[in-house]
Amino acid sequence: MSLRSPPPILSVRPSRALVDEPFEVSVENLPPGGPVTVRSLHRSEDGDDWEAYGRYVSDHSGKVSVSEDLSFGGTFSGKQPMALLWSMRPVPGSRSGLRLRKLKVTTPMLVNISVYRGHNDFRDQTPLASAVTERWYMAPGVHRVDIRQEEVQGTLFIPPGPGPFPGVLDIWGGWGGLLEYRSALLASRGFASLTVEYLKPGELQTDLEFSSFEAAFNILKDHPKVLSDRVGVLGSSAGSIVTLYLAAESTAVQPRCVVCISNANCYPHESGLSGIQHLLAKKFDKIRLDENNHEIWRGIGLALLDDAPYKVDMGKIRSPVLLVNGRDDQNWPVLETADRMAQVVGAAGKAHLLYRLDYPNTGHQIEPPFSPHFRATNLAIDGTKDKAILLWGGETKAHSEAQEDSWKKILSFLRQHLYCSPKAKI
Amino acid sequence: MLQQLKMEEKPCSAALSVQPSRGLVDEKFVVLVQNTVPSCPLTIHASHQCEDGHSWHAFAHYTSDASGVVNVSEDCSVGGTYSGVEAMGLLWSLKPVPGSKPGLRMRKKNVQAPMVITISVYKGHLTEGFGDQVPLAGTEVERWYMAPGVRRIAVTEDGLTATLFLPSGPGPFPGLLDLWGGGGQLVEYRAALLASHGIAAMALDYLTCKYTMETGKMVEQDYFEAAYTFLQKHPKVLSSRIAMLGFSLGTSVTLKTAVYSEVMKLRCALCISGSHVQPLDGFLKETLGYFNENSGKTCFTEDNEAIWRNLLLPIPTDLSLKVDMKEMMERAGNSHLLTLLSYPNAGHLIEPPYTPHARSSLFRDVKSRQMLMALWGGQTLEHSRAQEDAWRKLLVFLRKNLYGGVKSTSPLSNL
């Protein structure tokens, strides 16, 4: 007859959630007033292990509530309900400069949450209890459609229901390849969203011209489940250049509203981004290194603020524009760029169309909520350098708060402009 | 002019959300409709196609408030398959669609995939013709019996026909033997749900198991002892914390085991919709034989539904025909630990919460292979309340007795 006692009970509620939804992690049946470590562990699609952990002390009913209690240290401290996700980083011994991005959105991210005895190193211990939680980019019923046309290769996500739905064209920046997760999440939030592949992973080269993005916009706009006059654009980093072009200069399409995350406004070629790598390479002498030898590229952008062959004429914007930037962006001079744009917009008498969110201590990679923050990550740049570690900037806690807040504000901006209210405001 | 143009656009999209969109079967959700015309009559509709291919639906009539919002958890349904403020009414009031085969009962076989329900909102107060109208909005909801990380293990050793569900984590966990009733089969969903609550639960088929199907004979006590021992010896199970949960005929086994078994030392026992009336001599074969002998007491309603409650009435005075509850309690040393929950207007099929109520359904008698329409009873609203309350109390009871300390003398009022 075993005299083993029952284990603590660890629960994560909800156990299955969308990635932008909060959860509550609690542990019960612990010895009262005892030190424990609550840890999250995730194996990425690349096979790397990521973790976060907080040190807690159970109360006298034997309970720890991550949402309510203070963490005394770990990868985060203080009262941080979601830090087990956003403060994740590669486990010790991992390769350097990693980033966490989900490529396959039809399956969830699996996160293992465990509780260990004590505040010391838990790595040799068996946890007292653990639970698995699923984090999804796709809500049930969201439809994923491959788009393989001559000019446009990408993926379309359609929300469940009869529709029709407002649409959002989702344009990423450099080196990503085909990234689906943001569009999948937008569809889970009620927007038909098309993400376009135009920059191959590891490359800043593209053949796509602005006209290809206009074609993509039209694919979305003309889709039977999309409200043709309620299509907006969301672009980040280099993708914001295309976004601003569509908002201001395109004669073929007219987005109802646009959002730019970590904006840029310079392009090499009258018709688009082809050759952008060349444009940047000309200013590579402006790259600085930080104390870790990580590359700071914002100098390139600063030089291009004046020197770029082409800039989108922001004075011509025809619809509301929301700019989301991080004040500690080390990759691109986003604030200076936004300031310039604001000047031009103001001079054209259109200041009422421009909205800005500038987040303190926030870097370049402003991702959906609870995504781990990367201050610097690897980049293999095809054709020019072998490999580099680029500094994106941002301090983890502030950056994570910015991700949470900006996502809410982006969704509300999109809803305001793309969903019509039955009560028409006069 | 511009304003007029806008009015001619495609209709505005109402927004419908269900939180959580993926939940466990016993979790509540919030159904919210937004961005509709204020003070507008609306119908919220749920539809589900079960594994057998039958269609089920539920619906309720609401009126949006001044901001164009309906919140099913807070607002009152004025008609449909349920009325009043019922957060989970769209699930528990699910009924087979008109024209369906009579006597259907919804039971999930594959617990590794969720139940998928489509929730839609329609303009107006509809009672039919949902397929002909385009809803204003729709969404999908998943309801799971298995939490992430729960492991499903088929058990065939020692002649058993069973499935073990282990909670996620290193364990070891308290264990539970899960017994269903006279319909037989290996029914997994309740054990899966219990494992999602931290209990290593094993669903045991004892009527249509391999042994019985091959030999034609009923299993004896040793079959249950083998199941108990399997759990006891399992490295992920706490051998001194094993419970038994029996439903209907399963109650007969549970009570007999709790009182008389020398081998099976149950930490606690739970009995749903059962009786202590059974011949003490012998086991399953004799118990079923006793029911058979009394089968003449079966009544039939106008619709030819069989009522079996009289088979065990009146309660015999012959002591050899019933398990001595008093002796059981005294043996346990705690005669005050019996909790009786008797729910008014609830029927026989007390299932996990928010699952549809079947007042009657087709039932195949295991021995005779005869198909009958059985009247289980219960009024849907009160039956659903009973399911919710019973499950909650069952979980607290299991938590207290299986996870609690060595001293288990908590008064009943704690429940």
Side-chain angles (χ1 to χ4, degrees):
Chain A
M1 266 273 230
S2 170
L3 292 168
R4 295 176 294 177
S5 54
I9 301 161
L10 191 152
S11 61
V12 183
R13 290 206 177 91
S15 53
R16 293 180 173 92
L18 290 179
V19 294
D20 59 357
E21 285 169 354
F23 60 22
E24 286 183 5
V25 176
S26 63
V27 193
E28 290 172 286
N29 221 40
L30 287 166
V36 293
T37 304
V38 180
R39 177 208 196 197
S40 60
L41 183 64
H42 167 68
R43 174 149 298 180
S44 71
E45 286 168 336
D46 298 328
D48 301 298
D49 285 338
W50 292 70
E51 70 174 8
Y53 55 92
R55 299 185 182 110
Y56 293 90
V57 176
S58 61
D59 70 12
H60 284 268
S61 70
K63 187 168 170 178
V64 165
S65 160
V66 172
S67 309
E68 301 293 325
D69 298 354
L70 210 81
S71 157
F72 292 96
T75 58
F76 64 95
S77 61
K79 187 160 134 171
Q80 300 291 355
M82 300 303 292
L84 284 168
L85 291 180
W86 57 250
S87 74
M88 273 187 170
R89 59 208 189 170
V91 298
S94 299
R95 308 175 282 159
S96 57
L98 295 175
R99 76 185 303 172
L100 186 63
R101 290 188 127 163
K102 196 150 201 329
L103 295 181
K104 184 159 191 257
V105 297
T106 50
T107 57
M109 206 181 139
L110 293 176
V111 181
N112 196 286
I113 313 267
S114 312
V115 60
Y116 296 84
R117 196 188 307 276
H119 285 170
N120 299 317
D121 195 18
F122 48 78
R123 286 169 215 294
D124 301 323
Q125 283 188 49
T126 308
L128 298 173
S130 69
V132 177
T133 180
E134 294 180 359
R135 308 289 294 172
W136 290 82
Y137 283 96
M138 273 173 82
V142 165
H143 208 53
R144 180 184 173 281
V145 182
D146 283 313
I147 302 289
R148 295 279 175 268
Q149 296 188 15
E150 217 184 287
E151 254 200 297
V152 180
Q153 314 267 308
T155 316
L156 173 63
F157 291 91
I158 304 172
F165 307 100
V168 177
L169 178 62
D170 188 16
I171 311 177
W172 285 91
W175 310 297
L178 179 58
L179 292 172
E180 297 189 352
Y181 58 88
R182 197 166 61 194
S183 292
L185 197 56
L186 284 167
S188 302
R189 294 298 174 203
F191 301 95
S193 183
L194 172 62
T195 178
V196 178
E197 179 168 23
Y198 69 103
L199 293 162
K200 296 273 177 283
E203 287 179 16
L204 249 190
Q205 286 286 40
T206 179
D207 295 326
L208 289 203
E209 311 292 13
F210 289 135
S211 57
S212 314
F213 294 94
E214 287 165 339
F217 187 95
N218 283 326
I219 288 173
L220 191 51
K221 167 177 156 293
D222 295 336
H223 194 281
K225 283 218 163 182
V226 176
L227 287 159
S228 52
D229 57 340
R230 306 258 165 191
V231 181
V233 184
L234 167 60
S236 53
S237 198
S240 61
I241 303 168
V242 179
T243 305
L244 293 170
Y245 177 90
L246 296 177
E249 307 228 34
S250 168
T251 49
V253 305
Q254 193 172 325
R256 187 105 180 175
C257 67
V258 306
V259 180
C260 294
I261 300 175
S262 304
N263 53 217
N265 187 7
C266 58
Y267 56 98
H269 190 270
E270 195 174 42
S271 346
L273 294 178
S274 63
I276 187 151
Q277 194 148 297
H278 242 41
L279 178 67
L280 297 180
K282 280 197 228 161
K283 305 284 181 190
F284 271 179
D285 57 309
K286 302 288 184 200
I287 294 177
R288 298 279 167 265
L289 296 177
D290 75 350
E291 66 274 13
N292 298 313
N293 266 357
H294 297 160
E295 297 191 5
I296 300 171
W297 279 33
R298 65 188 308 278
I300 300 175
L302 272 173
L304 286 172
L305 261 181
D306 298 307
D307 284 358
Y310 293 92
K311 284 197 238 314
V312 173
D313 181 358
M314 292 298 288
K316 293 188 182 158
I317 54 171
R318 303 156 290 186
S319 51
V321 176
L322 172 63
L323 303 176
V324 177
N325 292 309
R327 295 210 203 131
D328 189 42
D329 193 326
Q330 298 299 318
N331 183 255
W332 205 255
V334 291
L335 294 179
E336 292 88 338
T337 305
D339 290 341
R340 284 290 171 94
M341 295 200 286
Q343 269 167 19
V344 174
V345 166
K350 295 186 180 177
H352 62 284
L353 288 178
L354 187 68
Y355 299 90
R356 287 179 66 165
L357 291 167
D358 297 332
Y359 290 98
N361 293 321
T362 298
H364 188 79
Q365 304 285 5
I366 302 173
E367 299 268 12
F370 319 128
S371 310
H373 163 239
F374 321 105
R375 192 168 160 77
T377 60
N378 290 332
L379 223 73
I381 302 160
D382 222 68
T384 48
K385 292 174 175 231
D386 289 346
K387 191 176 154 165
I389 295 187
L390 261 59
L391 187 69
W392 307 109
E395 177 271 305
T396 296
K397 181 162 177 292
H399 188 99
S400 302
E401 284 170 351
Q403 288 184 160
E404 239 184 291
D405 188 77
S406 61
W407 183 246
K408 278 200 268 262
K409 299 237 165 53
I410 289 169
L411 287 178
S412 98
F413 176 82
L414 290 172
R415 279 188 193 119
Q416 176 62 26
H417 295 288
L418 300 181
Y419 266 93
C420 55
S421 162
K423 260 190 312 199
K425 285 185 191 141
I426 299 173
Chain B
M1 174 73 161
L2 205 61
Q3 211 66 351
Q4 204 161 8
L5 268 172
K6 279 186 179 162
M7 298 285 264
E8 268 139 64
E9 286 165 357
K10 287 188 214 168
C12 295
S13 317
L16 173 62
S17 70
V18 181
Q19 275 292 98
S21 52
R22 293 179 173 94
L24 287 180
V25 162
D26 60 358
E27 277 176 352
K28 285 194 157 171
F29 59 25
V30 176
V31 178
L32 197 62
V33 184
Q34 294 169 294
N35 212 46
T36 59
V37 174
S39 309
C40 185
L42 297 168
T43 304
I44 302 187
H45 178 265
S47 92
H48 170 67
Q49 196 172 51
C50 65
E51 287 163 326
D52 300 329
H54 295 114
S55 297
W56 296 67
H57 77 165
F59 57 91
H61 297 152
Y62 292 92
T63 302
S64 58
D65 68 12
S67 356
V69 170
V70 173
N71 181 336
V72 173
S73 303
E74 292 172 3
D75 299 353
C76 205
S77 156
V78 295
T81 55
Y82 67 91
S83 58
V85 181
E86 298 290 344
M88 305 303 291
L90 286 165
L91 291 182
W92 57 250
S93 75
L94 280 169
K95 294 189 183 334
V97 297
S100 296
K101 184 178 148 184
L104 294 176
R105 185 179 164 192
M106 193 191 293
R107 302 189 94 181
K108 192 113 184 31
K109 292 205 183 79
N110 177 11
V111 296
Q112 294 179 299
M115 230 181 115
V116 178
I117 295 134
T118 303
I119 311 254
S120 313
V121 58
Y122 293 85
K123 204 163 157 210
H125 284 170
L126 309 179
T127 50
E128 54 178 11
F130 292 100
D132 304 324
Q133 268 209 46
V134 177
L136 296 174
T139 193
E140 270 185 29
V141 179
E142 292 179 2
R143 305 290 290 174
W144 290 80
Y145 280 98
M146 274 174 83
V150 166
R151 291 153 286 176
R152 178 184 174 274
I153 300 157
V155 176
T156 49
E157 40 261 75
D158 308 325
L160 296 169
T161 302
T163 313
L164 173 63
F165 290 92
L166 288 177
S168 56
F173 309 99
L176 182 142
L177 276 170
D178 188 30
L179 310 177
W180 284 89
Q185 309 302 317
L186 181 52
V187 182
E188 297 187 355
Y189 56 85
R190 192 170 55 199
L193 198 54
L194 287 169
S196 304
H197 288 278
I199 296 168
M202 188 157 87
L204 183 66
D205 178 1
Y206 60 92
L207 284 179
T208 51
C209 49
K210 188 162 179 275
Y211 173 79
T212 300
M213 301 311 275
E214 283 175 357
T215 63
K217 296 195 208 151
M218 295 272 117
V219 299
E220 300 286 345
Q221 186 120 353
D222 59 333
Y223 182 80
F224 297 90
E225 287 168 0
Y228 177 89
T229 311
F230 174 86
L231 274 184
Q232 209 187 14
K233 289 193 180 142
H234 198 286
K236 297 266 179 181
V237 178
L238 287 163
S239 47
S240 63
R241 292 174 185 253
I242 298 175
M244 191 180 273
L245 164 56
F247 166 79
S248 194
L249 180 63
T251 296
S252 308
V253 175
T254 303
L255 285 176
K256 197 167 234 165
T257 304
V259 180
Y260 302 117
S261 175
E262 297 295 329
V263 173
M264 298 184 268
K265 298 292 173 209
L266 303 179
R267 184 90 178 185
C268 61
L270 302 96
C271 302
I272 302 176
S273 303
S275 169
H276 65 307
V277 174
Q278 58 179 294
L280 292 187
D281 232 339
F283 205 65
L284 264 185
K285 178 157 150 271
E286 286 72 19
T287 303
L288 286 172
Y290 181 78
F291 290 163
N292 234 25
E293 279 164 28
N294 287 284
S295 59
K297 291 190 195 163
T298 307
C299 301
F300 289 87
T301 63
E302 281 171 359
D303 301 313
N304 232 17
E305 296 157 321
I307 301 175
W308 285 318
R309 69 186 308 274
N310 295 322
L311 259 61
L312 301 179
L313 291 176
I315 306 277
T317 46
D318 183 348
L319 292 175
S320 72
L321 287 176
K322 52 190 179 176
V323 169
D324 190 336
M325 302 292 288
K326 192 157 171 283
E327 195 202 319
M328 172 189 87
M329 294 186 291
E330 277 166 9
R331 244 168 93 100
N334 298 292
S335 57
H336 61 283
L337 279 189
L338 175 67
T339 311
L340 274 172
L341 299 169
S342 304
Y343 293 98
N345 286 321
H348 190 73
L349 304 177
I350 299 176
E351 299 262 21
Y354 319 129
T355 49
H357 164 235
R359 184 170 164 76
S360 61
S361 74
L362 285 169
F363 180 81
R364 185 186 292 285
D365 181 77
V366 175
K367 260 209 131 183
S368 71
R369 310 299 298 149
Q370 205 195 348
M371 195 73 115
L372 285 166
M373 187 70 81
L375 184 68
W376 308 112
Q379 299 302 323
T380 298
L381 174 61
E382 284 139 301
H383 187 95
S384 303
R385 295 256 191 278
Q387 288 188 159
E388 213 184 320
D389 188 78
W391 185 252
R392 188 171 35 240
K393 294 208 160 75
L394 181 151
L395 290 179
V396 171
F397 177 82
L398 286 172
R399 171 73 68 95
K400 198 170 280 284
N401 285 286
L402 295 180
Y403 270 93
V406 177
K407 293 186 300 244
S408 51
T409 50
S410 336
L412 295 173
S413 57
N414 271 14
L415 280 175

